[in-house]
Amino acid sequence: MKVHAIGGYSEFGRNMTAITVGKETVIFDVGISVDNIIKLQEKGHDADKMSAKALYDAEVIPDDREFFKKYGKQVKAIVINHAHLDHVAGVDKIAGKYKVPIIGTAFTLEVLRQKLGKKSRLHKRLVQLNAKSTYKITDNLSVEFIYATHSIPQTVMSCLHSPEGRVIYAADFKFDEHPVIGQKTDYKRLRELGRKGLKLLITDATRVDREGRTYSESLVKNMVKDTFAFINTKNKAIIVTTFASHIGRLKTLVRVAKQMKRKPVFLGRSMFNYINAAERIGICNFTNKAMVVHPRKTRSVLKRIEREGREKYFMIMTGHQGEPNSMLVRISQDLVGFKLLPEDLVIFCSETIPSPVNEANRNLLMKNLKNKGARIFDEVHVSGHAAREDMREFLNMTKPEHYVPCHGGLIKLSSAVKLATELGYTLGENTHLLQDRQELEI
Ligand SMILES: [Zn+2]
């Protein structure tokens, strides 16, 4: 069995891993680097209109060129674990040449369909697979989807069943005991696979350097409510910014808005797109309870909010990382006809994803908000990634013969390998530190 670390092993983002068994190969995830997309946008480029070659050069998509030359013809399927851009958004640029089924859950495929646009030839290759189900790829290989919790609906872990043993690819996940939507991670199945024998476990290492556990998304409801305790919100705007794809979080915010007797309003293109994808497959229904604003109607809705009274509304919008052109950034720069007033409340239901681009953008946004006298509440948030003690339990639960961390730079991956050595694994023998474009035989 060979493990191909194609992308996401030398930096955070543009994840792509492949497993070869005999003469057959399966790819897991084809993501983008969100950071490098933002850099392109800041230079005025539109990544959707750029060629694959230009996107390789800009380090936006994983560099699978060498891999494709050697293994392209024997790839049998592309499996996508969840719909975050760093796992799925590279599909439209590089998946076409493999000419194989692209397997994902309903929500993942719905997000992918939006990204592909109507004319893409890839639509006919999309294969929906639900959690707790298995898809036969070839006579020798099948993939099983296992329920997992994360920060986007219908995330799964994938188990590849092969004549040389089983592989679980688990990027990304957390262990949430009280998920706001969807089911808990299927611990029973993971233990069962561990008992039957697991050849290899691959996990993301995003948060493995944080001690302790990652707590449940259900805590966020009280965190948001407590944000307003003792505060006189009369005549004040309430603006919450969070991850547009985090449908469970959006559900919580709608509930809090209703309790505060304010009308929830979703603003920003990504909010509109993700909510539409979620509603189309029936996992939420915000349209009845909230205003989901079409990007073209933004100005008129914001005018209406100013006219009718900002205290009647609870605005939920894009912009938590200070992304250029996001709604909160445009509001902070007076570009959309809504004027922030002193003591308006701005709540970041997010944490800054650590990268120089995000940190610079966030600093600028904070400065603009503070100049306007807004009251800022930062990190009203619970992470979607497993922390160190979660990861330890995962390894205990599944007892893989080999462990490989992915999705992080050298520091994160080393931290995960160190954890494995604490559990008796040996670096280079049964836990492995891979970098982009490296190959490992086990
Ligand atoms: Zn993710």
Side-chain angles (χ1 to χ4, degrees), residues 281-312:
I281 61 155
I283 54 173
C284 71
N285 186 355
F286 291 144
T287 318
N288 286 344
K289 309 175 195 116
M291 287 164 71
V292 183
V293 180
H294 190 283
R296 279 203 296 275
K297 301 257 171 70
T298 303
R299 273 179 184 272
S300 61
V301 169
L302 287 171
K303 279 265 169 279
R304 182 170 141 196
I305 292 172
E306 284 211 321
R307 199 173 55 241
E308 291 182 358
R310 58 189 63 208
E311 70 280 2
K312 292 186 178 141

Side-chain angles (χ1 to χ4, degrees), residues 272-285:
F272 184 79
N273 287 341
Y274 279 111
I275 290 171
N276 267 302
E279 291 197 338
R280 272 200 298 275
I281 61 155
I283 54 173
C284 71
N285 186 355

